[in-house]
Amino acid sequence: MGAAVLAAHWAGGAGSTLTVQVPKAGEPAKSGAGTRLSAVQALLSTAPGVETAKTLSDGQLSALLRPWLGADMKDLAAPVPAVIAVHMTGEADDSNDLATLLAQSAPGTIVEDQAVWAARLSALARSLQLCSGFVLLIVTMVTAAVIAVVTRSGLAARREAILIVYQLGATDGYIVQRFAARAAVLASAGGAIGGLFALPVVFAVAKMAAPLAGGQVSASAAADGFYFLPLPLWLLPVILPLAAGMVGYVSTQFTMRQWLRQLS
């Protein structure tokens, strides 16, 4: 679930973002009207699929380059291209046409598409989901097998009592229902305990994953890293008991009915 949230965030964030670099932004445009930067800005304002186009200020560029050029750097001495952050609406998936138009308006303009990296991250998230799905399937199968073994042990210990009740006219459904209901209650209790123990792990992983989701909350906030969690993860202590109870109920029903068929 967390991987699905991150994949959706990447697809809607970096996956729909372009970075446009305009070298020699202050020079006259090819058309002769305005500068190269103003020509690119005008084209982006009317280009299809462009939702917003924000030109970064010199201060913002300095802040971005400061980690690589040193913390003592105040202003950039060397000329750098003007940078425009473009957010696409999703209607124009291919940035090649936009890059061609920009190159015609201001030759040398560079368009960097973040969709490639977002697609790779989404593929990684889907791989995590697939692995988690396999783990969940294995855990469910092991749980069902353990419940079946415990049920058979209980049947062996209560064989005489079950035979007496069976001979007195109790139906298969009545006997199965009693065992299945008890197994569901015990499995639900185990699921509740497991859900409570899982919450700290989920929160710890969520805090580590918060930077990948673009968290903007302060480090001192009590809910730091948790605000983007999907609702099912918050309901983990409720979902796990219900799921465990269902597995226990179905497993016991299947085991009991097989045993009663052999008994008759």
Side-chain angles (χ1 to χ4, degrees), residues 19 29 72 79 180:
T19 301
D72 297 332

Side-chain angles (χ1 to χ4, degrees), residues 194-228:
L196 293 177
F197 276 103
L199 279 179
V201 179
V202 173
F203 287 163
V205 175
K207 191 169 184 179
M208 289 189 294
L212 300 178
Q216 299 295 329
V217 295
S218 61
S220 60
D224 184 19
F226 305 147
Y227 72 97
F228 69 94

Side-chain angles (χ1 to χ4, degrees), residues 32-173:
T35 63
R36 288 165 51 87
L37 177 60
S38 62
V40 171
Q41 291 173 331
L43 193 152
L44 290 174
S45 64
T46 58
V50 175
E51 184 176 4
T52 59
K54 179 182 178 182
T55 303
L56 301 185
S57 64
D58 292 340
Q60 291 173 320
L61 289 176
S62 299
L64 291 175
L65 295 175
R66 190 169 291 117
W68 286 270
L69 300 181
D72 297 332
M73 184 195 70
K74 301 299 182 182
D75 295 311
L76 294 176
V80 295
V83 178
I84 305 175
V86 182
H87 191 272
M88 309 296 290
T89 60
E91 300 174 358
D93 296 330
D94 191 359
S95 61
N96 292 331
D97 295 339
L98 181 60
T100 301
L101 293 175
L102 292 175
Q104 293 174 354
S105 177
T109 301
I110 302 173
V111 177
E112 295 182 359
D113 191 355
Q114 313 299 330
V116 176
W117 293 101
R120 293 176 181 176
L121 292 174
S122 298
L124 175 61
R126 288 192 296 269
S127 300
L128 292 175
Q129 287 179 277
L130 183 61
C131 293
S132 301
F134 278 123
V135 171
L136 182 60
L137 178 61
I138 293 173
V139 169
T140 303
M141 293 174 63
V142 171
T143 303
V146 170
I147 293 175
V149 171
V150 173
T151 301
R152 287 190 172 275
S153 299
L155 292 174
R158 298 173 177 83
R159 178 183 177 89
E160 297 299 329
I162 294 175
L163 283 174
I164 294 174
V165 175
Y166 194 71
Q167 292 171 357
L168 290 175
T171 62
D172 291 357

